[in-house]
Amino acid sequence: MTAKFAIILAAGQGTRMKSKLYKVLHPVCGKAMVDHVLSQVEKDNVDQIVTIVGHGAEKVQETLGDRTEYALQEEQLGTGHAVLQAEKMLGSKDGMTLVTCGDTPLFTAETFAKLFEYHEKGGDVATVLTAKADDPFGYGRVIRNAAGEVEKIVEQKDATPEEAKVDEINTGVYVFDNQALFEALHQVNNDNAQGEYYLPDVIGIFQKAGKKVGAFEMDDFEESMGVNDRIALAKATKVMQRRINEKHMRNGVTIIDPDNTYIDADVQIGADTVVEPGVQLKGKTVIGEDCVIGAHSQIRDCKIEDGVTVTVSYLEESVMHKNSNIGPYSHLRPLADIGENVHIGNFVEVKKAEIGKNTKVGHLTYVGDATLGKDINVGCGTIFINYDGMNKHHTNVGDYSFIGSGANLVAPLEIEDHAYVAAGSTITNDVPAHAMGIGRGRQVNKEGYYDRYPVAEAAKKAEKADKD
């Protein structure tokens, strides 16, 4: 079996992005463009992958890790010069080499596989991946001879008026005979408008040597979209988002309004889950089956088990177990762990807290740095007070306890099983099992005090207006 190699070009600065972020690291649906490219190349079982880095090299390596080897292009002298930097790693090896760009995030593993197969069957020294473009401006043109064979590839700036009319474009992706590629690269010169060493010039070198060059025309021009500015980035993101949403729908997920639903590339969703409009699912979120993700919710890096309902809420780095529910307008901050059948109501914030099975936290409550057992009722307006100005402290609430509305629980605190906290209490000491903790001033009624305050005068005016 013929060995397969790949070179990913990711050394350009990308000045047209007008960004402090290195171009190939700009995200498309939650994943850096170059990561999309590498992920698709990996699916084709390539024996060795080399990524050419330049500007922002360290950041690229942080993003891709050890999934690829790296070669540094210290000066950006063109695509041919960039590929030549991989010679030490690949130059002596037998096989075929895919060359693609790190700013083309829409190419698929299927297209790369077809190109490899076409190249191997054709027996050509090089095969160019081409496409027909409605507006070919800016792309290199594939010039064929009368027999339909590739004669040369001409860059936009070097094209004659007649060549510029050609609508078959070079996508910037090739498969080469590996050793022939590096031999030809040493013959490329920079006699062109940009003064750079162009990779496509090896095509002419092969032909002068009497070697045959093939071209494989892909079906979907959209895949070849390169990203050089923010406008193209938005277009690529829209295409990728449509592709992601369609994949989930084919797998049994109901997406009510795909044009207004935003799902990152690595998100997983189970069958029969319903995703309503305006939802954003980010990072490595995993959602189970039979869930309902309500309109305008945002979920990032969370695990959502089967049967969960999320209503207009923001969740990050948290877990919701089976048949739990949250919202509307609630917030799970990192390390929130919501148990089975738990109800988190409206305007509740949970941070670094575990909430046990069947517990209810109805509304207007903050639960932070706490462990709550099962079958607890937490009343409206309860605050878990976890910070003393210097350190965070933990509160434990036992099973079957009842926390009355408006309670302030000052950590560190132990509220044992079957305990009761009276409404309106500030609790600073532990509450034993089957006891009631109450921490509030005794009520005193001051007769006649109502009439001393401005509210009384306002009430008189209202009463008079009602009678009139």
Side-chain angles (χ1 to χ4, degrees), residues 7 11 87 106 126 150 158 160 183 189 222 302 310 319 361 405 459:
I7 298 172
E87 185 174 29
L106 299 177
V150 177
D158 302 309
T160 66
E183 289 171 7
N189 63 52
E222 206 169 46
C302 290
V310 177
V319 177
V361 185
S405 295

Side-chain angles (χ1 to χ4, degrees), residues 425-446:
S425 293
T426 295
I427 302 297
T428 58
N429 297 315
D430 296 346
V431 181
H434 296 277
M436 180 178 76
I438 181 167
R440 62 190 184 208
R442 186 178 297 277
Q443 180 175 328
V444 177
N445 294 332
K446 301 289 186 178

Side-chain angles (χ1 to χ4, degrees), residues 178-189:
N178 185 65
Q179 292 191 17
L181 167 64
F182 290 103
E183 289 171 7
L185 283 171
H186 286 286
Q187 302 174 50
V188 173
N189 63 52

